Amino acid sequence: MSADRSAFEIPPPTGSSESSSAPSRRAFIATGTAVGGVVVAGSVVGVTCLADPEEASAVGASASSRVSLTVNGTRRTVTVDNRTSLLDLLREHLDLTGSKKGCNAGACGACTVLVDGQRVNSCLTLAVRLEGAEVTTIEGLAHGDELHPLQQAFIDEDAFQCGYCTPGQILSGVGCIQEGHTNSPEEIREWMSGNICRCGCYVKIVRAVEQTAARK
């Protein structure tokens, strides 16, 4: 055999200054992990013990409020989570699903309703801030079997395809007419630019709003 043996085959010298009782690398890692776990567990226990049970309960339970408002001419009183949007109040609590949840970030206009006659994105409006307000949704525009003039104009002008954005478009158009921003097609487009139609019916939508404003 060759005299040039690998260092891995040569036993350590007996006169080594390193103590034979020194822990191995594996034992060192295992011990460190165990100690770390105890420290972390102790920290969690300490935090848990310091927390007041009543405070912890208050944090876990969300606050709610009672709000009264008039929706489509009917007085409604409901108790809702303070974080509830007007859109969720309408859809989930009052079963008025005409207002659509599109982006839920105020960017598409599908959830547009009228609050005290003004256009708002209901997905960005907190319900608890509307005490005493009057809200009009697409379900409240018609008078019995008689459609609102703008609803009829949308039908006459074929101003929709899939219909998903149509409730918000119509409510926005009604608000646009009431605000007096209908002096030209360009002005209508500008003041209704927050309402997106992914089917691309903008020309017909503007025409329906323009004709309804002219008949007013």
Side-chain angles (χ1 to χ4, degrees):
M1 294 182 64
S2 171
D4 185 13
R5 299 175 60 190
S6 170
F8 293 100
E9 299 177 2
I10 301 175
T14 56
S16 173
S17 59
E18 184 177 353
S19 173
S20 60
S21 62
S24 65
R25 181 172 178 272
R26 178 176 298 177
F28 177 79
I29 293 175
T31 304
T33 303
V35 172
V38 171
V39 172
V40 172
S43 300
V44 173
V45 172
V47 172
T48 305
C49 293
L50 290 175
D52 189 329
E54 294 184 1
E55 292 180 0
S57 176
V59 171
S62 57
S64 60
S65 298
R66 191 177 180 85
V67 59
S68 296
L69 65 165
T70 301
V71 181
N72 298 330
T74 302
R75 190 71 170 176
R76 309 296 292 266
T77 300
V78 293
T79 299
V80 294
D81 187 300
N82 288 345
R83 300 165 295 182
T84 301
S85 67
L86 173 58
L87 178 60
D88 285 338
L89 170 65
L90 295 172
R91 292 180 60 84
E92 307 298 334
H93 295 265
L94 303 182
D95 200 28
L96 296 172
T97 57
S99 304
K100 303 304 181 187
K101 182 177 287 190
C103 64
N104 206 33
C108 71
C111 67
T112 303
V113 299
L114 301 179
V115 175
D116 294 331
Q118 301 297 314
R119 295 179 284 175
V120 302
N121 290 320
S122 59
C123 70
L124 298 182
T125 305
L126 287 176
V128 295
R129 302 191 64 181
L130 299 180
E131 179 66 32
E134 292 190 10
V135 179
T136 303
T137 71
I138 192 66
E139 292 90 345
L141 279 184
H143 296 283
D145 294 332
E146 181 183 356
L147 295 177
H148 185 280
L150 186 54
Q151 288 177 304
Q152 187 61 54
F154 263 66
I155 295 174
D156 296 340
E157 296 296 330
D158 194 23
F160 55 90
Q161 286 189 35
C162 75
Y164 193 85
C165 75
T166 303
Q169 296 280 1
I170 292 177
L171 266 298
S172 185
V174 171
C176 190
I177 293 170
Q178 292 177 351
E179 295 161 12
H181 298 304
T182 56
N183 296 313
S184 67
E186 292 75 21
E187 185 177 20
I188 294 172
R189 283 195 290 269
E190 174 68 23
W191 286 90
M192 290 191 60
S193 59
N195 291 80
I196 296 175
C197 175
R198 292 178 172 82
C199 298
C201 296
Y202 295 110
V203 173
K204 296 179 179 180
I205 290 172
V206 170
R207 189 181 303 153
V209 174
E210 187 178 27
Q211 293 183 2
T212 303
R215 291 194 297 264
K216 185 178 179 182

